[in-house]
Structure formats: C-alpha cells, structure tokens
C-alpha cells in the first residue's frame, strides 16, 4: 500500500530487518491522537550521520612544544522541531607533537563515548578542569590560571558547550558588575599610573607581546582562588578580585 506524505519531511531513518520483527510483535499504536513531534534522545544506537557540524579550537600551552587543535563535532537532534538541540557527539585532538599521542587518543575516545551515551555530559568539564599537572600549571593570556593541559582541554569543551547553549554562565547581577567596575576605578585611581603606555609613541614593543586579550588586569594582581584569574588586588586593606568580585579583608 502506498502512503502519501503530505507534510514536509524533517528526518528519516532506515528500517532494518530487526526493527520490522520488533514492530510485528508489538501492536501498532493507534494513531488518532494529535500528531506530535517525535523527540529523539541520545542513546547508544543513534547512528552517526554522514555530516556533522563542529568547531576547532587552538590550544597553545608553554608545556607543549606544538599547538593542540581540539575539534568538537555536534549532532543536531530533532532538527526543525521545538525540541531542536545541539549536542557534542565526538572530539578529536590533533598535534604535531607525538610525545603525548597515546593518552590524547585514549582521552578523546573515552570523551566521545561519553558524549554518545547521552544524558548530562557537562560534568566532563569539571572533571577535566580539576586535573593538575604536578610540574605546575601556567597562565593563559588574560591571566587565567590553567593547572594542566588536560584542564585546558576541559576549559575548551566548556567554551564549546557554552557556544551551543548546553552550559549557561551564572548570571552576574548588574549590582555585582557595577561594584566590580567601581572597585576597579578606585584601584586604578589609587595606583596613579605614571603614563598610559599606549599613548607613548616610543613605547617599548615588549609590552605588546602577551596582551592580546581584552580582559587584562592591573600588573601585580595575584591569583584569585575563586575564579582562577590573576585579578586579585589589595584595595583598602581587602584582597579584591576585579574579575568575579570576590573580596576578603584581613
Ligand atoms: Zn575572582
């Protein structure tokens, strides 16, 4: 019997012989209810589509001779329906550096398996970011402390999950934002900087090497234990973070 499809086709699935037998044993559901969008959740039998969309991030660490390129590919579930959702499906990490090849391959395979398993996969970020290198971490541009290269891979996955809407930043209230801006202005006024470097045409070039980020904090700022950013300054006898607003007096 031919079935005429009158609606727009939003997705399709190949029926396999085992699906047919399963269908034959189970009675077909009565379909007089209002048509609803079929929600596809992630599960192990979800087949990889031919094409996936993704993003590639570059990680440059002083602990590594060459840059790492982290690619996260996403699957779009329920495309075109109100339940549309983009989720990470697989991860690849490439580098010229072969010294770390085996653990990187192992890590990416396990991460991809976790992604495909479905459910809440955002826990991965905290797990990876908590890994520290016994040789010591390093500072990224912008003064953010990375305890290890694995932690930076975790931070990269976090960036990606934020970009696809899987993780949301806790909203900083306007009051907190204003307070930080006020504290920063107070600190800068108190510090009475000699002259802005950018204004001097004969400025030393070395001052331009590392600061290519917009989030720069005053020189001499120390590491904030709350947000892991080098943004803690002493203001009126209180250690104050100019990034997250953390403050401790003593
Ligand atoms: Zn902070």
């Amino acid at each position: 019997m031919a079935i005429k499809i009158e609606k727009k086709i939003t997705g399709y699935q190949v029926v396999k012989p085992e699906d047919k037998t399963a269908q034959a044993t189970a009675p077909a559901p009565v379909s007089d209810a209002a048509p609803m969008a079929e929600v596809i959740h992630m599960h192990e039998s979800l087949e990889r589509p031919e094409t996936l969309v993704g993003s590639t991030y570059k990680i440059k660490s002083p602990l590594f001779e060459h840059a790492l390129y982290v690619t996260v590919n996403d699957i779009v579930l329920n495309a075109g329906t109100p339940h549309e959702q983009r989720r990470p499906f697989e991860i690849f990490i490439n580098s010229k550096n072969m010294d770390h090849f085996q653990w990187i391959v192992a890590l990416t395979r396990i991460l991809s398996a976790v992604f495909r398993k479905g459910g809440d996969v955002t826990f991965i970020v905290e797990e990876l970011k908590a890994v520290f290198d016994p040789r010591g971490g390093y500072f990224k541009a912008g003064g953010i402390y990375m305890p290890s290269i694995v932690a930076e891979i975790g931070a990269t996955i976090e960036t990606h999950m934020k970009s696809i809407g899987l993780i949301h930043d806790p909203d900083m209230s306007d009051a907190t934002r204003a307070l930080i801006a006020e504290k920063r202005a107070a600190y800068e006024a108190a510090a009475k900087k000699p002259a802005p470097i950018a204004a001097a045409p004969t400025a030393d070039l070395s001052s331009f090497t590392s600061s290519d980020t917009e989030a720069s904090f005053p020189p001499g700022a120390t590491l904030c234990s709350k947000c892991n950013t080098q943004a803690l300054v002493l203001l009126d006898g209180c250690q104050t973070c100019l990034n997250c607003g953390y403050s401790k007096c003593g």
Side-chain angles (χ1 to χ4, degrees):
M1 189 187 84
I3 300 169
K4 192 178 176 194
I5 300 166
E6 286 166 330
K7 287 185 185 150
K8 204 176 156 200
I9 298 170
T10 55
Y12 68 92
Q13 196 179 358
V14 178
V15 179
K16 285 184 265 174
E18 58 265 31
D19 295 336
K20 270 191 179 162
T21 53
Q23 216 169 40
T25 52
V30 188
S31 60
D32 52 0
M36 298 248 295
E38 191 200 347
V39 180
I40 304 161
H41 294 288
M42 288 283 277
H43 51 80
E44 286 145 275
S45 61
L46 190 70
E47 278 184 44
R48 187 193 189 283
E50 287 292 313
T51 312
L52 291 175
V53 284
S55 309
T56 300
Y57 303 84
K58 184 180 179 182
I59 294 179
K60 191 78 196 87
S61 156
L63 301 178
F64 263 51
E65 196 188 341
H66 298 288
L68 290 180
Y69 295 89
V70 179
T71 301
V72 186
N73 285 337
D74 301 327
I75 187 166
V76 183
L77 296 173
N78 309 307
T81 74
H83 302 283
E84 183 170 314
Q85 193 190 24
R86 206 169 143 169
R87 293 183 50 109
F89 191 79
E90 61 195 9
I91 180 167
F92 304 104
I93 301 178
N94 284 294
S95 177
K96 264 202 270 183
N97 191 343
M98 283 286 123
D99 298 350
H100 303 275
F101 185 76
Q102 59 171 329
W103 72 256
I104 286 179
V105 170
L107 182 71
T108 54
R109 286 192 185 178
I110 289 171
L111 285 176
S112 298
V114 170
F115 289 158
R116 278 177 212 154
K117 197 91 174 142
D120 183 8
V121 294
T122 55
F123 73 95
I124 280 292
V125 168
E126 292 312 316
E127 293 289 345
L128 295 180
K129 279 170 73 182
V131 174
F132 73 94
D133 190 328
R135 294 174 298 171
Y138 54 93
F139 281 97
K140 286 204 327 169
I144 297 160
Y145 182 70
M146 278 299 153
S148 66
I149 192 82
V150 174
E152 185 152 7
I153 293 170
T156 305
I157 296 172
E158 184 178 33
T159 305
H160 182 75
M161 286 181 172
K162 279 180 182 168
S163 76
I164 62 173
L166 213 55
I167 296 181
H168 301 280
D169 264 326
D171 273 337
M172 196 188 270
S173 68
D174 289 343
T176 312
R177 233 183 277 272
L179 189 73
I180 292 172
E182 191 185 300
K183 281 180 174 168
R184 181 164 195 157
Y187 178 82
E188 279 168 4
K192 280 193 194 102
K193 293 181 292 176
I197 296 163
T202 55
D204 182 5
L205 275 178
S206 65
S207 61
F208 293 105
T209 49
S210 67
S211 58
D212 53 357
T213 58
E214 65 277 24
S216 59
F217 297 103
T222 53
L223 190 66
C224 167
S225 57
K226 199 179 163 199
C227 65
N228 261 5
T229 304
Q230 205 168 12
L232 206 62
V233 295
L234 195 65
L235 189 62
D236 299 332
C238 297
Q239 292 284 355
T240 306
C241 178
L242 297 178
N243 184 52
C244 68
Y246 167 81
S247 181
K248 186 178 182 246
C249 299

